[in-house]
Amino acid sequence: MKIRHFALPALAASIAALGLSNCNKGGGDAIKVGEFASLTGKEATFGTSSHEGTLLAVEEINAGGGVLGKKIQLLTEDNQSKPGESTNAVNKLISKDGVVAVLGEVASSRSFEAAPVCQDNKIPMISPASTNPSVTEVGDYISRACFTDPFQGAALANFATGELKATKIAMLTDVKSDYSKGLAKFFKEKFLANGGTLVTELDYNGGDKDFKAQLTTIKNGNPQAVFVPGYYTDVALIAIQAKQLGLSVPLFGGDGWESSVLLDIGKEAMNGNYFSTHCAADQGTPKMTAFVDAYKKKFNGKTPDAMAVLGYDSAMLLADAMKRAATTEGPKLRDAIAATKDFEGVSGKFSLNKNRDAVKALVFIKIEDGKFRYTATVNP
């Protein structure tokens, strides 16, 4: 029989490491909650806004005594808006930091990357704003605090034929984005069912700078409006180049447009265009007014966008579920999140359906005089 010998220092280090890992799990005097977000990179305003809303929620939760007799400790990782980084971030939050739940992400592609890690580790994950249906299809530990693209796409199609009176549409899709492709698919299905015609369907790669070839082809098709289900930086450049080419019909899109950077880059080229999103700071509900006041006080007068609201709502939803579950154990917390009903969020009252997707209203925004103007609410 061959006897294996262990070097004592190495064995001691292994035992110490094991003990440290076990101590990290659960957080001791605090409940550790992980967050992954695009705090830098090309969609940094999404992650920054969502993070700020989450910070405000955690601050209010802890000021009110915390949850289950403990404070919430938020641990945040920046995925830099890069493919692959969300997986690394969530692996670290779970395996090294010992979080009991994860909040994130805004972009569907990045939520889709992280969701299998949470599912495999039985750690509940709540996406604040990823609208592609495939995100929660990963498994029963994945939920969201926002509506999905089948609803948003249908609402946009009805908006095109109803409000814009447009029956001939061109569509320009980001083929690198799960969000863009998903929203385009559901818009197209409903728009065609409404009797509309897609005169031109073209695509681009997110991060492109020159869209003139596609826009020239679109202009030659004489559409009455152009649907662009993309993210704000690309959309702003598309709007500028459309104006330069004399394409004067309205552009419209989804919640991926919502960022102050859209106006910073696009400036007057954005006027007269529309997008759908989750809520609006100027929609005037009591909860929204209180949130806007608190957010401005904490963040130097900054007006919150919908991503900030959804970051706040997702953290509050998680805290509410922890209280109802009376534990942070993964399976019980998962079940409490899934059972969420009539939750009073800043973005509106909502429940989670059988797929753990929030069933809730959306709003339409018109861009006028360089500002976002709330125009209408569409209920599910």
Side-chain angles (χ1 to χ4, degrees):
M1 181 177 177
K2 188 174 183 179
I3 299 175
R4 296 181 64 190
H5 296 276
F6 292 90
L8 288 177
L11 179 60
S14 298
I15 293 172
L18 179 61
L20 180 61
S21 175
N22 286 339
C23 286
N24 282 341
K25 194 73 177 178
D29 294 333
I31 296 173
K32 291 184 177 181
V33 172
E35 178 197 33
F36 66 108
S38 54
L39 301 178
T40 56
K42 65 187 181 68
E43 277 106 39
T45 68
F46 281 163
T48 300
S49 291
S50 180
H51 175 60
E52 290 175 349
T54 303
L55 280 178
L56 181 58
V58 171
E59 183 177 284
E60 292 182 5
I61 292 165
N62 288 340
V67 179
L68 307 179
K70 296 182 179 182
K71 303 289 188 184
I72 296 288
Q73 181 184 0
L74 184 68
L75 304 174
T76 303
E77 292 290 328
D78 177 15
N79 58 30
Q80 306 169 61
S81 306
K82 293 180 179 177
E85 290 300 321
S86 296
T87 302
N88 296 334
V90 172
N91 265 321
K92 175 183 177 295
L93 288 167
I94 294 174
S95 62
K96 183 177 180 181
D97 298 328
V99 302
V100 300
V102 171
L103 301 171
E105 226 257 15
V106 170
S108 295
S109 296
R110 294 192 284 272
S111 287
F112 195 66
E113 286 180 7
V117 180
C118 292
Q119 182 68 28
D120 290 347
N121 285 279
K122 295 181 170 41
I123 296 295
M125 167 182 150
I126 302 176
S127 166
S130 293
T131 54
N132 190 299
S134 63
V135 171
T136 52
E137 291 171 0
V138 169
D140 56 359
Y141 280 83
I142 315 302
S143 305
R144 78 180 94 219
C146 61
F147 53 69
T148 60
D149 285 333
F151 172 59
Q152 182 173 212
L156 283 159
N158 291 336
F159 175 80
T161 53
E163 298 299 320
L164 296 181
K165 310 296 182 190
T167 56
K168 297 195 308 178
I169 295 287
M171 187 163 71
L172 186 54
T173 305
D174 177 0
V175 293
K176 291 175 65 176
S177 164
D178 290 333
Y179 159 75
S180 185
K181 291 184 290 185
L183 186 54
K185 172 181 180 292
F186 295 112
F187 169 83
K188 180 178 179 179
E189 289 175 357
K190 183 61 175 174
F191 182 66
L192 296 179
N194 286 350
T197 301
L198 281 170
V199 293
T200 311
E201 292 182 69
L202 294 173
D203 54 48
Y204 63 95
N205 291 305
D208 285 351
K209 304 299 182 189
D210 188 347
F211 303 91
K212 290 181 179 176
Q214 295 99 317
L215 291 168
T216 297
T217 302
I218 287 173
K219 182 182 178 184
N220 291 337
N222 295 314
Q224 296 165 312
V226 182
F227 180 51
V228 189
Y231 288 138
Y232 53 86
T233 302
D234 299 329
V235 170
L237 295 176
I238 288 168
I240 291 170
Q241 292 171 31
K243 290 295 183 187
Q244 291 171 345
L245 292 171
L247 181 60
S248 57
V249 298
L251 309 184
F252 66 107
D255 56 324
W257 285 33
E258 183 163 3
S259 168
S260 58
V261 175
L262 180 79
L263 303 178
D264 293 342
I265 297 173
K267 296 185 169 58
E268 61 271 14
M270 295 312 308
N271 289 332
N273 298 320
Y274 302 83
F275 65 94
S276 58
T277 188
H278 306 267
C279 54
D282 61 343
Q283 66 186 79
T285 62
K287 286 186 76 73
M288 179 63 79
T289 300
F291 175 78
V292 170
D293 290 345
Y295 188 93
K296 284 184 172 180
K297 183 177 180 181
K298 182 171 178 61
F299 298 107
N300 301 316
K302 181 179 178 182
T303 299
D305 59 20
M307 303 309 157
V309 172
L310 293 179
Y312 180 91
D313 278 356
S314 63
M316 286 296 189
L317 189 159
L318 176 61
D320 177 71
M322 286 177 178
K323 293 175 183 175
R324 286 186 282 109
T327 179
T328 58
E329 294 176 12
K332 292 180 179 178
L333 183 55
R334 171 203 60 189
D335 292 345
I337 294 170
T340 297
K341 185 177 181 182
D342 295 334
F343 178 78
E344 293 279 1
V346 173
S347 58
K349 180 188 288 188
F350 62 90
S351 302
L352 300 192
N353 64 16
K354 64 179 182 180
N355 299 318
R356 302 164 308 288
D357 302 325
V359 179
K360 61 198 301 188
L362 62 69
V363 302
F364 275 96
I365 303 291
K366 183 177 183 180
I367 303 172
E368 292 181 313
D369 301 324
K371 296 181 180 179
F372 295 153
R373 305 286 191 193
Y374 164 74
T375 60
T377 296
V378 178
N379 291 311

